[in-house]
Amino acid sequence: MMELRRIFWICLILLGGAVKAQEIVLPLTENVRLKSMPSPRTANLLDTLNLPFIDDFSSSEVHPNPALWLDRDVFINGDMAINPPTLGVATFDGLNAQGKAYDNSSPTTYGQADFLSSHAIDLSAYTPADSVYISFFLQPKGWGDAPETRDSIVLQFFNSAAQWVSVYSRAGGALDTFRQVLVGLKSPDWFHSGFRFRFMNYASLTGFVDLWHLDYVRLAAGRSSNDTLLDDVAFRNRPSSLLNRYQEMPYDQYLADSNRYRVATHGATAFNLNQDKNTGFNYRALELHQQSTVFNSTPFSITFTGQSTFAFNSPLFSIPNLPQDSLTLQLSYHLNAVPDILPANDTVKRIHRFWNHYAYDDGIAEASYGLNVLAGQIAYKFALSKADSLRGMLIYFVQNTENVANELFNLKVWKFIGEGQLTGSEQVLYEQTLLSPEYADSLGQYYYYPFETAVAVSDTFYIGWQQGTNKILNLGLDRNNNANAYMHVNTDGRWLQSSIAGAWMMRPVVGKAISWPTAIRPMQSLSSKIYPNPTHSQLFVEAETGFSYAVYDMQGRLRSSGSSENRLEVETALWPAGLYFIRLQDNANRVAHHKFIVQH
């Protein structure tokens, strides 16, 4: 069996050498956060608002606030934009309210995509002399796919004749900083009791592409075209990690060498959208299991310069050493500025998990990553405070245009890879073969690939895979955190640092036997067997329940597929001699993989 495995991977390496190797980053084709989030209450078309209208998307999550907006198409998030005015933007793309492509019948489908429409706003008591203006901030691309020049975002007003009229548009382009736009309501047509406004985008309708990010929409009277200041101080990004290398790590590993992994300072960055203002700051750390306060900071204040950013950082407090195997902390950061027109954006929170895994990523994928070379390898470097037992890997695969659920890879663990050296210098600690990508359909669900035996690790180690395909496996890529220094790629016999900035969404699980948080679903195995192996004319497959199956040759071509009760006969007499793979899956999504040889 070991000789067979070696021959198999030698063949893969030889075949892979004929393919131009490169790392590939692709936009997502669906949004699992939209799919998994319950819909908000249905907006009432009869709801009528009054001035001022203001929303910076900091008080809603995933879907727009139904008290202000009629549509659910856009994606409210704090991850896809780069340096927004305030934390939380409305992202326009090619996905519908359920996180699916509007139309993926063709890769060239194009047209109107997302709408974001306000409730009716009563402007009947106003006239053009009241100088009513709407302002908003826009950014193309962010961390996602840039809108092309044919793409655009449009602002429309609903007039007294019940017609939508375009009053502003911007064509797509490369990444840009957020720009503020002001549009005046100059025509009498807008001043009626049923006035509405809406944003819409023209884009490819095939996925999470052609992105625009909208922030801080404000409609009010008594403004002018020069009224760019907003009387608000707000957080503009998520708080930083308490750790200087990881986003998450095991509790006992942190306590074993806390000085090595603790940060000097932590906090969050805020933006003053107005003139100089005295602003207070404080934070609180809460241990969530016992709901006990770990730390309450002493408030302090600064003179916050207008139209500038400021990092509200503080020295790390003492993380408690408790008699338990995990710790979950919630940090709440607070601003206090008076006056302040939108207090909702003055608080920002972060959950810090000291559980049984290491993570460079924050659990949210902004893109997908992969290699397009047969037998390509990736290796992710981790450091330990003390020796431990590696139990398996948590991997976040994202579904993309091409279905690769039946493609194969080998999970690997290395003690040493010889960074920048030839492959022959590497030291493999463990390998688990013939696995395929498994998917989760809701937020925060990694699939767990358990090891058959625990692997002893110490100091540093690497986790990763060698793929049995030249197709991109679509590993989740977190663009808001950069672990590039620890990401290594081997496509031609030499381990090199990845050229992609970001963090692979792959996490090693260490420690004792695992008690799973509810957000993590382990991959289940289907009990099955095949015989005879090698075979000549027939392969018999048996499983504990009914199953679907697919058989592939070494070139990844599908040879046979279908479904069966718990016993199957596969005719192999006319197949060429060689190595084949069969994948089984039952109705409970339990999976099994086998390899077999056809001999004549």
Side-chain angles (χ1 to χ4, degrees):
M1 186 62 70
M2 289 299 295
E3 183 63 26
L4 176 62
R5 181 182 300 170
R6 183 168 17 191
I7 292 172
F8 170 62
W9 286 108
I10 288 174
C11 291
L12 288 185
I13 292 170
L14 291 175
L15 290 169
V19 181
K20 183 179 180 181
Q22 59 179 323
E23 299 177 276
I24 306 293
V25 175
L26 295 173
L28 306 178
T29 56
E30 64 177 24
N31 188 332
V32 296
R33 284 187 278 178
L34 282 171
K35 289 171 59 179
S36 62
M37 178 63 68
S39 298
R41 70 168 176 87
T42 303
N44 187 346
L45 290 172
L46 298 179
D47 288 348
T48 300
L49 306 177
N50 297 302
L51 294 185
F53 179 105
I54 185 168
D55 192 7
D56 75 336
F57 309 105
S58 62
S59 59
S60 53
E61 181 180 2
V62 179
H63 294 295
N65 183 353
L68 299 175
W69 306 100
L70 291 169
D71 308 304
R72 299 189 300 113
D73 300 342
V74 298
F75 172 40
I76 309 302
N77 68 94
D79 304 285
M80 294 305 303
I82 299 175
N83 293 326
T86 65
L87 181 61
V89 299
T91 295
F92 292 73
D93 51 40
L95 300 175
N96 61 23
Q98 289 74 47
K100 293 288 190 179
Y102 281 104
D103 183 358
N104 57 10
S105 60
S106 165
T108 59
T109 54
Y110 177 85
Q112 293 180 345
D114 290 343
F115 285 85
L116 182 63
S117 308
S118 73
H119 282 288
I121 303 170
D122 187 359
L123 297 185
S124 60
Y126 297 88
T127 70
D130 291 303
S131 195
V132 179
Y133 274 76
I134 185 173
S135 63
F136 52 91
F137 292 81
L138 276 178
Q139 181 185 61
K141 189 181 185 303
W143 288 118
D145 179 65
E148 299 169 285
T149 53
R150 71 167 182 170
D151 306 319
S152 62
I153 190 165
V154 178
L155 171 64
Q156 296 182 324
F157 289 166
F158 193 66
N159 67 17
S160 55
Q163 299 170 323
W164 285 104
V165 180
S166 296
V167 296
Y168 169 85
S169 67
R170 178 177 171 183
L175 174 66
D176 193 4
T177 57
F178 273 88
R179 296 186 194 174
Q180 186 173 194
V181 178
L182 287 99
V183 178
L185 279 65
K186 303 295 186 181
S187 170
D189 292 343
W190 314 135
F191 294 95
H192 58 100
S193 60
F195 172 79
R196 287 188 284 151
F197 65 90
R198 72 181 184 187
F199 297 89
M200 56 175 287
N201 68 314
Y202 288 88
S204 297
L205 304 178
T206 56
F208 203 34
V209 295
D210 301 336
L211 268 56
W212 292 96
H213 310 290
L214 173 72
D215 198 11
Y216 223 120
V217 179
R218 181 174 178 240
L219 177 70
R223 306 185 67 187
S224 71
S225 59
N226 297 318
D227 184 19
T228 60
L229 300 182
L230 297 164
D231 202 2
D232 195 10
V233 172
F235 286 113
R236 72 181 312 178
N237 63 359
R238 299 190 187 278
S240 60
S241 176
L242 297 177
L243 305 171
N244 61 16
R245 177 165 178 168
Y246 302 111
Q247 300 301 308
E248 300 178 6
M249 70 178 295
Y251 189 37
D252 62 335
Q253 289 283 345
Y254 174 80
L255 293 175
D257 194 356
S258 59
N259 288 333
R260 179 181 180 184
Y261 295 109
R262 61 183 290 164
V263 291
T265 62
H266 64 98
T269 300
F271 182 49
N272 182 3
L273 290 88
N274 204 337
Q275 299 174 342
D276 295 2
K277 180 180 294 189
N278 185 270
T279 302
F281 169 78
N282 71 292
Y283 67 93
R284 179 191 180 202
L286 181 70
E287 196 277 311
L288 290 183
H289 180 67
Q290 299 292 337
Q291 289 291 302
S292 60
T293 298
V294 172
F295 189 81
N296 231 337
S297 71
T298 301
F300 75 90
S301 62
I302 64 164
T303 299
F304 200 152
T305 304
Q307 296 291 289
S308 71
T309 60
F310 183 82
F312 286 86
N313 287 331
S314 299
L316 185 65
F317 56 92
S318 178
I319 295 176
N321 186 345
L322 302 175
Q324 55 197 51
D325 59 7
S326 64
L327 181 73
T328 306
L329 297 178
Q330 176 184 276
L331 262 70
S332 301
Y333 299 86
H334 307 280
L335 297 173
N336 182 17
V338 179
D340 192 270
I341 61 174
L342 202 58
N345 57 31
D346 294 345
T347 298
V348 66
K349 298 180 181 180
R350 173 169 180 150
I351 302 294
H352 291 270
R353 297 178 180 89
F354 293 85
W355 288 2
N356 60 351
H357 60 263
Y358 289 88
Y360 289 113
D361 68 275
D362 62 11
I364 298 175
E366 284 77 40
S368 70
Y369 170 92
L371 305 177
N372 69 348
V373 58
L374 193 64
Q377 299 183 83
I378 64 172
Y380 216 178
K381 187 175 184 178
F382 292 85
L384 297 164
S385 300
K386 61 178 183 177
D388 214 329
S389 297
L390 181 60
R391 300 284 178 172
M393 299 186 204
L394 292 164
I395 304 181
Y396 197 108
F397 286 109
V398 297
Q399 300 194 48
N400 221 306
T401 304
E402 186 174 14
N403 186 353
V404 294
N406 293 320
E407 302 300 327
L408 299 175
F409 62 89
N410 289 358
L411 287 182
K412 301 181 78 171
V413 180
W414 298 265
K415 171 64 178 176
F416 176 75
I417 63 171
E419 299 171 19
Q421 302 177 34
L422 294 177
T423 304
S425 61
E426 66 186 25
Q427 181 183 347
V428 178
L429 293 176
Y430 179 80
E431 185 172 8
Q432 190 160 314
T433 61
L434 304 180
L435 301 171
S436 58
E438 300 288 345
Y439 302 98
D441 288 328
S442 58
L443 176 62
Q445 290 192 343
Y446 288 70
Y447 263 92
Y448 177 57
Y449 292 82
F451 292 164
E452 295 165 351
T453 59
V455 180
V457 288
S458 60
D459 300 323
T460 61
F461 65 94
Y462 303 76
I463 63 170
W465 71 58
Q466 183 171 31
Q467 57 191 63
T469 178
N470 62 357
K471 295 182 179 179
I472 299 165
L473 295 182
N474 295 313
L475 175 65
L477 182 66
D478 170 20
R479 301 309 296 263
N480 282 283
N481 295 287
N482 191 5
N484 180 259
Y486 311 112
M487 297 157 53
H488 303 279
V489 178
N490 187 336
T491 57
D492 60 0
R494 186 181 298 272
W495 285 104
L496 300 175
Q497 185 175 326
S498 169
S499 63
I500 304 300
W504 292 333
M505 297 178 69
M506 182 163 49
R507 302 173 170 186
V509 176
V510 299
K512 56 186 181 181
I514 297 164
S515 176
W516 291 110
T518 57
I520 299 173
R521 293 164 50 193
M523 183 185 68
Q524 301 293 324
S525 296
L526 173 63
S527 177
S528 60
K529 64 180 179 178
I530 63 171
Y531 62 91
N533 189 12
T535 184
H536 168 63
S537 58
Q538 284 183 318
L539 179 76
F540 296 93
V541 183
E542 294 182 0
E544 59 185 307
T545 184
F547 58 87
S548 61
Y549 72 94
V551 181
Y552 297 85
D553 61 20
M554 277 192 63
Q555 285 70 46
R557 294 175 296 209
L558 180 66
R559 284 289 181 174
S560 179
S561 64
S563 59
S564 176
E565 297 300 326
N566 59 348
R567 191 172 189 274
L568 170 71
E569 297 180 17
V570 180
E571 298 293 332
T572 62
L574 300 180
W575 294 1
L579 183 64
Y580 293 82
F581 310 94
I582 184 168
R583 183 181 191 271
L584 314 177
Q585 183 171 353
D586 69 4
N587 290 333
N589 291 322
R590 294 181 299 174
V591 176
H593 296 96
H594 300 279
K595 57 187 174 182
F596 63 94
I597 297 174
V598 173
Q599 291 181 344
H600 298 304

